[in-house]
Every structure is written in structure tokens, then in C-alpha cells.
Amino acid sequence: MGIFDIFAWIVLAILVASGAGIVMMMGMWPGRVAHARNHPQAEAIAIGGWLTLFLGFVFWPLVVIWAYTLTPPSPPVAEEERAP
């Protein structure tokens, strides 16, 4: 094995590690955004971000949009309407 073969293997290893790191970062991104924005469904968004890894990132744009949208707060419940 010559010096060029060793160099090619090193470059290949760096590319594979970089690709795996990018995929991992893309899987974490929606959940981190949702937690940072205090989204009420942050845990579901985080799970959806990781599930897209197995689905080939088909639904990843939807999960990112979901992470950036905030749902309106629910109206407060009066004292007499709560459970007896």
C-alpha cells in the first residue's frame, strides 16, 4: 500500500465521519429548536426529528416547520369549571 492509498483511506474516513455527524445534527435540530422556544410539544418534535432518520428525511421539513411554529395558548379555565 502506497502513500496515496493511505491518504485516500484517511480522506474516506473523514468524509464518512463528517456525513454521519451532519445526519446526527439534522436529526437533533428540530428538537433543540423546539426546546429553546419552549414549544408545548417539544418532546414530540424531538422524537419526530429522530424518526426522520429512519424515513430518509422525507418528513424532516415538516418537523422543522412544526418546531418553529408556536401554538396559541389555551384559554384559562375558571375555578368552578375545574374538576370537582
Side-chain angles (χ1 to χ4, degrees):
M1 223 181 345
I3 189 76
F4 292 119
D5 292 334
I6 294 171
F7 180 71
W9 281 107
I10 291 171
V11 169
L12 179 65
I14 290 172
L15 286 175
V16 168
S18 298
I22 289 170
V23 168
M24 295 289 288
M25 286 175 58
M26 288 180 72
M28 286 190 311
W29 183 21
R32 294 182 118 193
V33 167
H35 284 291
R37 295 173 58 104
N38 294 325
H39 198 285
Q41 298 146 344
E43 215 37 56
I45 293 170
I47 292 170
W50 286 110
L51 276 176
T52 59
L53 292 176
F54 300 109
L55 299 174
F57 289 104
V58 174
F59 297 112
W60 187 80
L62 296 175
V63 176
V64 171
I65 291 170
W66 184 18
Y68 277 105
T69 57
L70 290 177
T71 57
S74 58
V77 178
E79 287 293 325
E80 57 272 355
E81 292 180 15
R82 292 188 184 174

